[in-house]
Amino acid sequence: MPDLLQIGGITDTMRERLEAAFTIHQTNRYNAEEITHIVTNGHDGVKPELMASLPNLKMISGYGVGYDAVDADEAARRGIIVTHTPNVLNEEVATTAVLLMLMCYREALRDDAHARSGDWEAKGGAPLTRSADNQTIGILGLGRIGQAIVDKLAPWSPTILYHTRTKKDVPYTYYDNLVAMAHDCDVLVCITPGGPSTNKIVNAEVIEALGPTGTLINVARGSVVDEAAMIEALSTGKLGWAGLDVFEAEPHVPPALRALPNTVLLPHVGSATVETRAAMGALTVDNLLQHLKDGTVISAVPECADL
Ligand code: A2R
């Protein structure tokens, strides 16, 4: 049986299906010459030195849509096919984005603490919050998930703005300038890929343009936002609220951020439901098994589409 290197965890269902077709090796014990396939995830990816050390690698199957932790250009150059799991997580990540936005607007954490602590009975009702209806929402990265977020927001009657590198054929207002869009919106939702082209694209200038009544939602990658600038702005009132599922050096969450009441912090759970993770696991394995069968895959990353 061909040899598969497993990086990070896999579910029991994935293991059962993979064991029927591959000999599975863990990262601490394998023969580099023998490895032809890798299964990994968006966080761990494949380190450049590891990829370079595997002369017979043919395919990398990633569990997750983001593949910034794999050098896909180098893989394509070597004829190694990289796959990911687009689409099957669109709705879940969109739900997470909407959840974070609603929790910021309606102060769900503060009010939960108010009810739970007994303060309601002892001190009276909670202060008013802000309505999430009729807001202007800027989407940074209007791809598969960005569009799902827009669709899921419809009941709150938003005005949608978006910023991408190329204008799309959509009925929303396009901004080629991110600072200008941040200035014009109430909520900025980050849902681009990670990697060098989006590194700290949400910088101090963008954050300050979003402003004291603005809300920053990040369900993309921690690298997309200048975290230090965001913390400074949230601490000094230059930015209103932040709802974050991703962090620059996750799982580390800076103590200064943890202490801020105007934030909602989630431990990178955008796609983390039983149903969606099962679908992602199935596609991750389907890609590997199809490659074994006929050399093709279901969902190659764009860099490897022509291999
Ligand atoms: O820039 P375009 O026209 O290629 O549009 C893509 C946009 N995008 C960017 N926007 C601004 N500046 C950039 N440097 C930049 N790079 C890419 O992000 C496109 O509208 C969107 C990505 O959409 P999809 O490729 O369909 O990705 P999907 O499935 O929505 O997932 C997005 C990311 C993943 O890579 C994970 O990191 C995260 O969501 O969970």
Side-chain angles (χ1 to χ4, degrees):
M1 285 203 288
D3 294 84
L4 172 77
L5 181 62
Q6 178 198 330
I7 299 174
I10 56 174
T11 64
D12 290 344
T13 310
M14 290 169 74
R15 179 174 304 285
E16 273 166 34
R17 292 184 64 206
L18 289 172
E19 269 173 357
F22 291 96
T23 303
I24 303 178
H25 300 268
Q26 308 296 320
T27 44
N28 56 354
R29 208 150 40 100
Y30 61 92
N31 174 347
E33 299 277 327
E34 288 172 359
I35 301 296
T36 53
H37 293 73
I38 289 180
V39 62
T40 186
N41 57 69
H43 180 77
D44 295 312
V46 181
K47 302 264 178 295
E49 55 277 17
L50 175 61
M51 203 195 302
S53 74
L54 302 175
N56 297 310
L57 186 61
K58 294 188 175 70
M59 190 206 159
I60 297 167
S61 181
Y63 174 90
V65 64
Y67 57 97
D68 43 304
V70 175
D71 185 345
D73 289 319
E74 169 61 8
R77 192 191 64 76
R78 282 183 54 191
I80 300 164
I81 302 180
V82 180
T83 63
H84 62 155
T85 62
N87 295 315
V88 293
L89 42 56
N90 293 353
E91 299 303 322
E92 215 63 73
V93 179
T95 295
T96 304
V98 174
L99 174 72
L100 283 168
M101 177 185 149
L102 296 180
M103 285 181 79
C104 286
Y105 268 78
R106 297 297 305 271
E107 309 246 13
L109 292 178
R110 185 200 71 189
D111 284 0
D112 176 273
H114 195 75
R116 202 177 286 273
S117 65
D119 276 1
W120 184 14
E121 198 172 5
K123 300 180 185 167
L128 301 182
T129 60
R130 303 172 303 147
S131 176
D133 289 80
N134 305 307
Q135 299 301 293
T136 299
I137 302 181
I139 309 288
L140 168 56
L142 189 72
R144 291 170 292 242
I145 303 174
Q147 183 63 56
I149 293 171
V150 171
D151 296 345
K152 248 176 202 170
L153 283 168
W156 286 275
S157 311
T159 299
I160 301 293
L161 321 176
Y162 73 102
H163 170 71
T164 49
R165 291 166 303 183
T166 53
K167 192 175 183 299
K168 316 290 174 200
D169 184 19
V170 289
Y172 321 121
T173 306
Y174 177 66
Y175 281 72
D176 62 6
N177 184 303
L178 179 55
V179 176
M181 182 173 85
H183 183 266
D184 288 354
C185 65
D186 302 305
V187 184
L188 177 63
V189 181
C190 307
I191 188 58
T192 58
S197 88
T198 57
N199 192 43
K200 293 190 172 44
I201 188 174
V202 178
N203 57 21
E205 198 187 353
V206 173
I207 290 166
E208 284 174 33
L210 190 53
T213 59
T215 301
L216 177 65
I217 303 297
N218 190 2
V219 286
R221 285 286 187 254
S223 60
V224 171
V225 173
D226 183 335
E227 200 166 75
M230 176 187 67
I231 293 171
E232 202 271 328
L234 284 165
S235 314
T236 56
K238 282 186 262 178
L239 175 64
W241 293 263
L244 308 168
D245 186 42
V246 289
F247 302 86
E248 224 171 79
E250 60 188 55
H252 175 68
V253 178
L257 190 53
R258 290 193 233 166
L260 287 170
N262 47 346
T263 59
V264 178
L265 310 176
L266 296 179
H268 202 154
V269 291
S271 65
T273 64
V274 171
E275 295 84 352
T276 296
R277 287 294 170 87
M280 291 162 62
L283 181 52
T284 305
V285 175
D286 288 346
N287 270 311
L288 283 159
L289 298 185
Q290 182 166 315
H291 186 261
L292 215 50
K293 201 169 107 204
D294 62 13
T296 67
V297 297
I298 301 159
S299 47
V301 302
E303 290 85 340
C304 300
D306 298 331
L307 293 182

